[in-house]
Amino acid sequence: MSKIPALLRVLMMMYIMVVLIAVWRFFEVQEVDLFTLGAAPVIFGIWHQKPWTLIVMRVYLAIQTLAFSALGVTAIIAYQLTPEDVVVTFKGVTIPMLPLVLSIILLLGFQIFVAFTKQTKHYLKTNTVTS
């Protein structure tokens, strides 16, 4: 197995944190969150250098982008109707919208950048096992 590129390692660590949060959430509220558990096959594919990983990663990114876009459009429409009701809270703490939106855009942008770099494509297309 060849060495995992640095950006792909960072992405894999992010996805590992997401899966750990999904598992923690499962034990806390007894619900399976398939949106966050979708990172598990990507982690597996990166680690084992599977050629199908690039497709799975890009589909997972498309789902994330679609979900966050829908959430954003819904928030914009809700803000037009009742601005005082558009609030994001987590465990009783209100999260400011601008840092939240910028964080989501940066995280999605980073993932998309990594998914479409030549290094990622080369790493996942290079198969160390020959038939």
PDB file of all heavy atoms in Angstrom, residues 13-44:
ATOM      1  N   MET A  13      -9.295  11.735   8.795  1.00  0.00           N
ATOM      2  CA  MET A  13      -9.432  12.045  10.223  1.00  0.00           C
ATOM      3  C   MET A  13     -10.745  12.780  10.505  1.00  0.00           C
ATOM      4  O   MET A  13     -11.411  12.513  11.510  1.00  0.00           O
ATOM      5  CB  MET A  13      -8.245  12.872  10.719  1.00  0.00           C
ATOM      6  CG  MET A  13      -6.957  12.118  10.760  1.00  0.00           C
ATOM      7  SD  MET A  13      -7.109  10.714  11.869  1.00  0.00           S
ATOM      8  CE  MET A  13      -5.814   9.695  11.308  1.00  0.00           C
ATOM      9  N   MET A  14     -11.118  13.697   9.613  1.00  0.00           N
ATOM     10  CA  MET A  14     -12.402  14.384   9.764  1.00  0.00           C
ATOM     11  C   MET A  14     -13.544  13.376   9.723  1.00  0.00           C
ATOM     12  O   MET A  14     -14.462  13.435  10.546  1.00  0.00           O
ATOM     13  CB  MET A  14     -12.600  15.414   8.637  1.00  0.00           C
ATOM     14  CG  MET A  14     -11.817  16.685   8.804  1.00  0.00           C
ATOM     15  SD  MET A  14     -11.944  17.821   7.383  1.00  0.00           S
ATOM     16  CE  MET A  14     -13.644  17.725   6.914  1.00  0.00           C
ATOM     17  N   TYR A  15     -13.485  12.452   8.777  1.00  0.00           N
ATOM     18  CA  TYR A  15     -14.541  11.458   8.649  1.00  0.00           C
ATOM     19  C   TYR A  15     -14.571  10.505   9.842  1.00  0.00           C
ATOM     20  O   TYR A  15     -15.637  10.070  10.263  1.00  0.00           O
ATOM     21  CB  TYR A  15     -14.389  10.686   7.349  1.00  0.00           C
ATOM     22  CG  TYR A  15     -14.839  11.442   6.113  1.00  0.00           C
ATOM     23  CD1 TYR A  15     -14.704  10.892   4.855  1.00  0.00           C
ATOM     24  CD2 TYR A  15     -15.404  12.711   6.193  1.00  0.00           C
ATOM     25  CE1 TYR A  15     -15.116  11.567   3.718  1.00  0.00           C
ATOM     26  CE2 TYR A  15     -15.807  13.397   5.070  1.00  0.00           C
ATOM     27  CZ  TYR A  15     -15.673  12.825   3.835  1.00  0.00           C
ATOM     28  OH  TYR A  15     -16.086  13.490   2.715  1.00  0.00           O
ATOM     29  N   ILE A  16     -13.405  10.188  10.389  1.00  0.00           N
ATOM     30  CA  ILE A  16     -13.367   9.341  11.589  1.00  0.00           C
ATOM     31  C   ILE A  16     -14.062  10.053  12.743  1.00  0.00           C
ATOM     32  O   ILE A  16     -14.839   9.443  13.488  1.00  0.00           O
ATOM     33  CB  ILE A  16     -11.915   8.948  11.946  1.00  0.00           C
ATOM     34  CG1 ILE A  16     -11.390   7.931  10.931  1.00  0.00           C
ATOM     35  CG2 ILE A  16     -11.824   8.399  13.372  1.00  0.00           C
ATOM     36  CD1 ILE A  16      -9.913   7.647  11.037  1.00  0.00           C
ATOM     37  N   MET A  17     -13.814  11.363  12.885  1.00  0.00           N
ATOM     38  CA  MET A  17     -14.499  12.127  13.939  1.00  0.00           C
ATOM     39  C   MET A  17     -16.008  12.123  13.708  1.00  0.00           C
ATOM     40  O   MET A  17     -16.788  11.984  14.657  1.00  0.00           O
ATOM     41  CB  MET A  17     -13.969  13.558  14.000  1.00  0.00           C
ATOM     42  CG  MET A  17     -12.594  13.651  14.586  1.00  0.00           C
ATOM     43  SD  MET A  17     -11.864  15.318  14.757  1.00  0.00           S
ATOM     44  CE  MET A  17     -13.064  16.454  14.220  1.00  0.00           C
ATOM     45  N   VAL A  18     -16.437  12.252  12.459  1.00  0.00           N
ATOM     46  CA  VAL A  18     -17.861  12.243  12.136  1.00  0.00           C
ATOM     47  C   VAL A  18     -18.488  10.895  12.499  1.00  0.00           C
ATOM     48  O   VAL A  18     -19.575  10.842  13.078  1.00  0.00           O
ATOM     49  CB  VAL A  18     -18.072  12.580  10.637  1.00  0.00           C
ATOM     50  CG1 VAL A  18     -19.473  12.248  10.179  1.00  0.00           C
ATOM     51  CG2 VAL A  18     -17.762  14.034  10.378  1.00  0.00           C
ATOM     52  N   VAL A  19     -17.806   9.805  12.177  1.00  0.00           N
ATOM     53  CA  VAL A  19     -18.328   8.478  12.519  1.00  0.00           C
ATOM     54  C   VAL A  19     -18.370   8.284  14.039  1.00  0.00           C
ATOM     55  O   VAL A  19     -19.342   7.736  14.570  1.00  0.00           O
ATOM     56  CB  VAL A  19     -17.501   7.364  11.838  1.00  0.00           C
ATOM     57  CG1 VAL A  19     -17.850   6.003  12.381  1.00  0.00           C
ATOM     58  CG2 VAL A  19     -17.710   7.401  10.330  1.00  0.00           C
ATOM     59  N   LEU A  20     -17.357   8.764  14.742  1.00  0.00           N
ATOM     60  CA  LEU A  20     -17.366   8.659  16.206  1.00  0.00           C
ATOM     61  C   LEU A  20     -18.526   9.450  16.805  1.00  0.00           C
ATOM     62  O   LEU A  20     -19.172   8.993  17.756  1.00  0.00           O
ATOM     63  CB  LEU A  20     -16.031   9.132  16.790  1.00  0.00           C
ATOM     64  CG  LEU A  20     -14.840   8.219  16.532  1.00  0.00           C
ATOM     65  CD1 LEU A  20     -13.557   8.864  17.047  1.00  0.00           C
ATOM     66  CD2 LEU A  20     -15.052   6.857  17.152  1.00  0.00           C
ATOM     67  N   ILE A  21     -18.816  10.616  16.248  1.00  0.00           N
ATOM     68  CA  ILE A  21     -19.963  11.408  16.709  1.00  0.00           C
ATOM     69  C   ILE A  21     -21.260  10.655  16.436  1.00  0.00           C
ATOM     70  O   ILE A  21     -22.172  10.641  17.268  1.00  0.00           O
ATOM     71  CB  ILE A  21     -19.960  12.804  16.047  1.00  0.00           C
ATOM     72  CG1 ILE A  21     -18.809  13.630  16.608  1.00  0.00           C
ATOM     73  CG2 ILE A  21     -21.297  13.525  16.254  1.00  0.00           C
ATOM     74  CD1 ILE A  21     -18.540  14.914  15.852  1.00  0.00           C
ATOM     75  N   ALA A  22     -21.349  10.002  15.269  1.00  0.00           N
ATOM     76  CA  ALA A  22     -22.552   9.229  14.940  1.00  0.00           C
ATOM     77  C   ALA A  22     -22.744   8.069  15.915  1.00  0.00           C
ATOM     78  O   ALA A  22     -23.864   7.795  16.356  1.00  0.00           O
ATOM     79  CB  ALA A  22     -22.476   8.711  13.509  1.00  0.00           C
ATOM     80  N   VAL A  23     -21.656   7.393  16.266  1.00  0.00           N
ATOM     81  CA  VAL A  23     -21.744   6.285  17.226  1.00  0.00           C
ATOM     82  C   VAL A  23     -22.130   6.807  18.608  1.00  0.00           C
ATOM     83  O   VAL A  23     -22.985   6.236  19.288  1.00  0.00           O
ATOM     84  CB  VAL A  23     -20.410   5.495  17.278  1.00  0.00           C
ATOM     85  CG1 VAL A  23     -20.397   4.505  18.424  1.00  0.00           C
ATOM     86  CG2 VAL A  23     -20.169   4.804  15.942  1.00  0.00           C
ATOM     87  N   TRP A  24     -21.522   7.916  19.017  1.00  0.00           N
ATOM     88  CA  TRP A  24     -21.870   8.540  20.308  1.00  0.00           C
ATOM     89  C   TRP A  24     -23.340   8.923  20.323  1.00  0.00           C
ATOM     90  O   TRP A  24     -24.043   8.679  21.298  1.00  0.00           O
ATOM     91  CB  TRP A  24     -20.981   9.756  20.536  1.00  0.00           C
ATOM     92  CG  TRP A  24     -21.413  10.629  21.665  1.00  0.00           C
ATOM     93  CD1 TRP A  24     -21.336  10.346  22.999  1.00  0.00           C
ATOM     94  CD2 TRP A  24     -22.003  11.929  21.561  1.00  0.00           C
ATOM     95  NE1 TRP A  24     -21.839  11.393  23.723  1.00  0.00           N
ATOM     96  CE2 TRP A  24     -22.259  12.379  22.867  1.00  0.00           C
ATOM     97  CE3 TRP A  24     -22.328  12.746  20.497  1.00  0.00           C
ATOM     98  CZ2 TRP A  24     -22.825  13.612  23.124  1.00  0.00           C
ATOM     99  CZ3 TRP A  24     -22.893  13.971  20.750  1.00  0.00           C
ATOM    100  CH2 TRP A  24     -23.139  14.391  22.061  1.00  0.00           C
ATOM    101  N   ARG A  25     -23.809   9.511  19.229  1.00  0.00           N
ATOM    102  CA  ARG A  25     -25.212   9.914  19.127  1.00  0.00           C
ATOM    103  C   ARG A  25     -26.133   8.697  19.201  1.00  0.00           C
ATOM    104  O   ARG A  25     -27.206   8.738  19.788  1.00  0.00           O
ATOM    105  CB  ARG A  25     -25.449  10.665  17.810  1.00  0.00           C
ATOM    106  CG  ARG A  25     -26.818  11.266  17.695  1.00  0.00           C
ATOM    107  CD  ARG A  25     -26.912  12.079  16.410  1.00  0.00           C
ATOM    108  NE  ARG A  25     -28.137  12.805  16.273  1.00  0.00           N
ATOM    109  CZ  ARG A  25     -29.310  12.282  15.946  1.00  0.00           C
ATOM    110  NH1 ARG A  25     -29.420  11.011  15.757  1.00  0.00           N
ATOM    111  NH2 ARG A  25     -30.380  13.047  15.827  1.00  0.00           N
ATOM    112  N   PHE A  26     -25.699   7.586  18.599  1.00  0.00           N
ATOM    113  CA  PHE A  26     -26.500   6.363  18.653  1.00  0.00           C
ATOM    114  C   PHE A  26     -26.688   5.902  20.096  1.00  0.00           C
ATOM    115  O   PHE A  26     -27.788   5.546  20.510  1.00  0.00           O
ATOM    116  CB  PHE A  26     -25.847   5.241  17.838  1.00  0.00           C
ATOM    117  CG  PHE A  26     -26.501   3.905  18.052  1.00  0.00           C
ATOM    118  CD1 PHE A  26     -27.734   3.639  17.479  1.00  0.00           C
ATOM    119  CD2 PHE A  26     -25.905   2.942  18.829  1.00  0.00           C
ATOM    120  CE1 PHE A  26     -28.351   2.415  17.678  1.00  0.00           C
ATOM    121  CE2 PHE A  26     -26.512   1.717  19.037  1.00  0.00           C
ATOM    122  CZ  PHE A  26     -27.740   1.453  18.464  1.00  0.00           C
ATOM    123  N   PHE A  27     -25.616   5.912  20.877  1.00  0.00           N
ATOM    124  CA  PHE A  27     -25.722   5.477  22.261  1.00  0.00           C
ATOM    125  C   PHE A  27     -26.485   6.476  23.123  1.00  0.00           C
ATOM    126  O   PHE A  27     -27.098   6.097  24.108  1.00  0.00           O
ATOM    127  CB  PHE A  27     -24.337   5.200  22.852  1.00  0.00           C
ATOM    128  CG  PHE A  27     -23.739   3.923  22.338  1.00  0.00           C
ATOM    129  CD1 PHE A  27     -22.588   3.950  21.567  1.00  0.00           C
ATOM    130  CD2 PHE A  27     -24.339   2.704  22.593  1.00  0.00           C
ATOM    131  CE1 PHE A  27     -22.037   2.782  21.087  1.00  0.00           C
ATOM    132  CE2 PHE A  27     -23.805   1.522  22.115  1.00  0.00           C
ATOM    133  CZ  PHE A  27     -22.648   1.553  21.350  1.00  0.00           C
ATOM    134  N   GLU A  28     -26.446   7.766  22.756  1.00  0.00           N
ATOM    135  CA  GLU A  28     -27.132   8.781  23.550  1.00  0.00           C
ATOM    136  C   GLU A  28     -28.632   8.824  23.276  1.00  0.00           C
ATOM    137  O   GLU A  28     -29.425   8.891  24.199  1.00  0.00           O
ATOM    138  CB  GLU A  28     -26.520  10.159  23.294  1.00  0.00           C
ATOM    139  CG  GLU A  28     -27.099  11.217  24.217  1.00  0.00           C
ATOM    140  CD  GLU A  28     -26.366  12.528  24.097  1.00  0.00           C
ATOM    141  OE1 GLU A  28     -25.184  12.570  24.493  1.00  0.00           O
ATOM    142  OE2 GLU A  28     -26.964  13.490  23.603  1.00  0.00           O
ATOM    143  N   VAL A  29     -29.037   8.793  22.018  1.00  0.00           N
ATOM    144  CA  VAL A  29     -30.465   8.940  21.689  1.00  0.00           C
ATOM    145  C   VAL A  29     -31.057   7.721  21.003  1.00  0.00           C
ATOM    146  O   VAL A  29     -32.219   7.759  20.585  1.00  0.00           O
ATOM    147  CB  VAL A  29     -30.713  10.201  20.815  1.00  0.00           C
ATOM    148  CG1 VAL A  29     -30.419  11.456  21.582  1.00  0.00           C
ATOM    149  CG2 VAL A  29     -29.949  10.140  19.532  1.00  0.00           C
ATOM    150  N   GLN A  30     -30.298   6.650  20.872  1.00  0.00           N
ATOM    151  CA  GLN A  30     -30.769   5.397  20.291  1.00  0.00           C
ATOM    152  C   GLN A  30     -31.297   5.565  18.866  1.00  0.00           C
ATOM    153  O   GLN A  30     -32.295   4.957  18.494  1.00  0.00           O
ATOM    154  CB  GLN A  30     -31.854   4.772  21.183  1.00  0.00           C
ATOM    155  CG  GLN A  30     -31.467   4.583  22.633  1.00  0.00           C
ATOM    156  CD  GLN A  30     -30.277   3.665  22.801  1.00  0.00           C
ATOM    157  OE1 GLN A  30     -30.279   2.583  22.243  1.00  0.00           O
ATOM    158  NE2 GLN A  30     -29.267   4.080  23.533  1.00  0.00           N
ATOM    159  N   GLU A  31     -30.644   6.399  18.068  1.00  0.00           N
ATOM    160  CA  GLU A  31     -31.018   6.596  16.670  1.00  0.00           C
ATOM    161  C   GLU A  31     -29.788   6.455  15.787  1.00  0.00           C
ATOM    162  O   GLU A  31     -28.721   6.941  16.128  1.00  0.00           O
ATOM    163  CB  GLU A  31     -31.623   7.985  16.453  1.00  0.00           C
ATOM    164  CG  GLU A  31     -32.979   8.161  17.079  1.00  0.00           C
ATOM    165  CD  GLU A  31     -33.560   9.534  16.799  1.00  0.00           C
ATOM    166  OE1 GLU A  31     -33.022  10.252  15.925  1.00  0.00           O
ATOM    167  OE2 GLU A  31     -34.551   9.878  17.448  1.00  0.00           O
ATOM    168  N   VAL A  32     -29.970   5.797  14.664  1.00  0.00           N
ATOM    169  CA  VAL A  32     -28.885   5.653  13.697  1.00  0.00           C
ATOM    170  C   VAL A  32     -28.947   6.836  12.737  1.00  0.00           C
ATOM    171  O   VAL A  32     -29.993   7.138  12.175  1.00  0.00           O
ATOM    172  CB  VAL A  32     -29.013   4.334  12.914  1.00  0.00           C
ATOM    173  CG1 VAL A  32     -27.944   4.234  11.850  1.00  0.00           C
ATOM    174  CG2 VAL A  32     -28.947   3.153  13.858  1.00  0.00           C
ATOM    175  N   ASP A  33     -27.841   7.495  12.560  1.00  0.00           N
ATOM    176  CA  ASP A  33     -27.751   8.641  11.667  1.00  0.00           C
ATOM    177  C   ASP A  33     -26.978   8.224  10.427  1.00  0.00           C
ATOM    178  O   ASP A  33     -25.753   8.211  10.423  1.00  0.00           O
ATOM    179  CB  ASP A  33     -27.057   9.797  12.389  1.00  0.00           C
ATOM    180  CG  ASP A  33     -27.050  11.074  11.587  1.00  0.00           C
ATOM    181  OD1 ASP A  33     -27.602  11.078  10.474  1.00  0.00           O
ATOM    182  OD2 ASP A  33     -26.491  12.060  12.082  1.00  0.00           O
ATOM    183  N   LEU A  34     -27.708   7.858   9.375  1.00  0.00           N
ATOM    184  CA  LEU A  34     -27.067   7.370   8.161  1.00  0.00           C
ATOM    185  C   LEU A  34     -26.295   8.455   7.431  1.00  0.00           C
ATOM    186  O   LEU A  34     -25.352   8.166   6.705  1.00  0.00           O
ATOM    187  CB  LEU A  34     -28.116   6.745   7.238  1.00  0.00           C
ATOM    188  CG  LEU A  34     -28.792   5.497   7.805  1.00  0.00           C
ATOM    189  CD1 LEU A  34     -29.852   4.993   6.837  1.00  0.00           C
ATOM    190  CD2 LEU A  34     -27.776   4.409   8.088  1.00  0.00           C
ATOM    191  N   PHE A  35     -26.678   9.717   7.634  1.00  0.00           N
ATOM    192  CA  PHE A  35     -25.974  10.823   6.988  1.00  0.00           C
ATOM    193  C   PHE A  35     -24.517  10.871   7.446  1.00  0.00           C
ATOM    194  O   PHE A  35     -23.605  11.016   6.645  1.00  0.00           O
ATOM    195  CB  PHE A  35     -26.690  12.137   7.290  1.00  0.00           C
ATOM    196  CG  PHE A  35     -26.084  13.337   6.615  1.00  0.00           C
ATOM    197  CD1 PHE A  35     -26.154  13.484   5.241  1.00  0.00           C
ATOM    198  CD2 PHE A  35     -25.455  14.313   7.355  1.00  0.00           C
ATOM    199  CE1 PHE A  35     -25.602  14.583   4.613  1.00  0.00           C
ATOM    200  CE2 PHE A  35     -24.911  15.427   6.737  1.00  0.00           C
ATOM    201  CZ  PHE A  35     -24.985  15.558   5.362  1.00  0.00           C
ATOM    202  N   THR A  36     -24.281  10.734   8.734  1.00  0.00           N
ATOM    203  CA  THR A  36     -22.908  10.778   9.229  1.00  0.00           C
ATOM    204  C   THR A  36     -22.219   9.417   9.132  1.00  0.00           C
ATOM    205  O   THR A  36     -21.005   9.354   8.953  1.00  0.00           O
ATOM    206  CB  THR A  36     -22.852  11.292  10.683  1.00  0.00           C
ATOM    207  OG1 THR A  36     -23.761  10.541  11.480  1.00  0.00           O
ATOM    208  CG2 THR A  36     -23.219  12.746  10.760  1.00  0.00           C
ATOM    209  N   LEU A  37     -22.983   8.341   9.237  1.00  0.00           N
ATOM    210  CA  LEU A  37     -22.366   7.023   9.094  1.00  0.00           C
ATOM    211  C   LEU A  37     -21.956   6.735   7.653  1.00  0.00           C
ATOM    212  O   LEU A  37     -21.216   5.805   7.389  1.00  0.00           O
ATOM    213  CB  LEU A  37     -23.310   5.929   9.593  1.00  0.00           C
ATOM    214  CG  LEU A  37     -23.357   5.744  11.102  1.00  0.00           C
ATOM    215  CD1 LEU A  37     -24.352   4.658  11.478  1.00  0.00           C
ATOM    216  CD2 LEU A  37     -21.990   5.411  11.666  1.00  0.00           C
ATOM    217  N   GLY A  38     -22.407   7.567   6.714  1.00  0.00           N
ATOM    218  CA  GLY A  38     -22.013   7.418   5.319  1.00  0.00           C
ATOM    219  C   GLY A  38     -20.527   7.631   5.098  1.00  0.00           C
ATOM    220  O   GLY A  38     -19.991   7.253   4.058  1.00  0.00           O
ATOM    221  N   ALA A  39     -19.862   8.209   6.066  1.00  0.00           N
ATOM    222  CA  ALA A  39     -18.415   8.415   5.958  1.00  0.00           C
ATOM    223  C   ALA A  39     -17.645   7.112   6.155  1.00  0.00           C
ATOM    224  O   ALA A  39     -16.496   7.005   5.717  1.00  0.00           O
ATOM    225  CB  ALA A  39     -17.956   9.450   6.979  1.00  0.00           C
ATOM    226  N   ALA A  40     -18.248   6.125   6.790  1.00  0.00           N
ATOM    227  CA  ALA A  40     -17.550   4.869   7.088  1.00  0.00           C
ATOM    228  C   ALA A  40     -17.042   4.155   5.830  1.00  0.00           C
ATOM    229  O   ALA A  40     -15.878   3.726   5.800  1.00  0.00           O
ATOM    230  CB  ALA A  40     -18.440   3.959   7.922  1.00  0.00           C
ATOM    231  N   PRO A  41     -17.852   3.999   4.770  1.00  0.00           N
ATOM    232  CA  PRO A  41     -17.302   3.337   3.580  1.00  0.00           C
ATOM    233  C   PRO A  41     -16.169   4.138   2.926  1.00  0.00           C
ATOM    234  O   PRO A  41     -15.249   3.544   2.351  1.00  0.00           O
ATOM    235  CB  PRO A  41     -18.489   3.234   2.613  1.00  0.00           C
ATOM    236  CG  PRO A  41     -19.677   3.699   3.334  1.00  0.00           C
ATOM    237  CD  PRO A  41     -19.267   4.269   4.644  1.00  0.00           C
ATOM    238  N   VAL A  42     -16.227   5.447   3.031  1.00  0.00           N
ATOM    239  CA  VAL A  42     -15.154   6.277   2.467  1.00  0.00           C
ATOM    240  C   VAL A  42     -13.856   6.025   3.237  1.00  0.00           C
ATOM    241  O   VAL A  42     -12.790   5.867   2.643  1.00  0.00           O
ATOM    242  CB  VAL A  42     -15.536   7.776   2.475  1.00  0.00           C
ATOM    243  CG1 VAL A  42     -14.397   8.619   1.937  1.00  0.00           C
ATOM    244  CG2 VAL A  42     -16.803   8.013   1.663  1.00  0.00           C
ATOM    245  N   ILE A  43     -13.949   5.991   4.564  1.00  0.00           N
ATOM    246  CA  ILE A  43     -12.764   5.713   5.391  1.00  0.00           C
ATOM    247  C   ILE A  43     -12.178   4.352   5.020  1.00  0.00           C
ATOM    248  O   ILE A  43     -10.973   4.217   4.821  1.00  0.00           O
ATOM    249  CB  ILE A  43     -13.121   5.752   6.893  1.00  0.00           C
ATOM    250  CG1 ILE A  43     -13.561   7.158   7.295  1.00  0.00           C
ATOM    251  CG2 ILE A  43     -11.944   5.289   7.742  1.00  0.00           C
ATOM    252  CD1 ILE A  43     -14.221   7.207   8.663  1.00  0.00           C
ATOM    253  N   PHE A  44     -13.041   3.346   4.935  1.00  0.00           N
ATOM    254  CA  PHE A  44     -12.596   1.996   4.583  1.00  0.00           C
ATOM    255  C   PHE A  44     -11.901   1.995   3.222  1.00  0.00           C
ATOM    256  O   PHE A  44     -10.828   1.411   3.059  1.00  0.00           O
ATOM    257  CB  PHE A  44     -13.796   1.032   4.574  1.00  0.00           C
ATOM    258  CG  PHE A  44     -13.434  -0.358   4.146  1.00  0.00           C
ATOM    259  CD1 PHE A  44     -12.919  -1.263   5.057  1.00  0.00           C
ATOM    260  CD2 PHE A  44     -13.600  -0.759   2.827  1.00  0.00           C
ATOM    261  CE1 PHE A  44     -12.578  -2.549   4.668  1.00  0.00           C
ATOM    262  CE2 PHE A  44     -13.259  -2.031   2.422  1.00  0.00           C
ATOM    263  CZ  PHE A  44     -12.746  -2.934   3.346  1.00  0.00           C
TER     264      PHE A  44
END
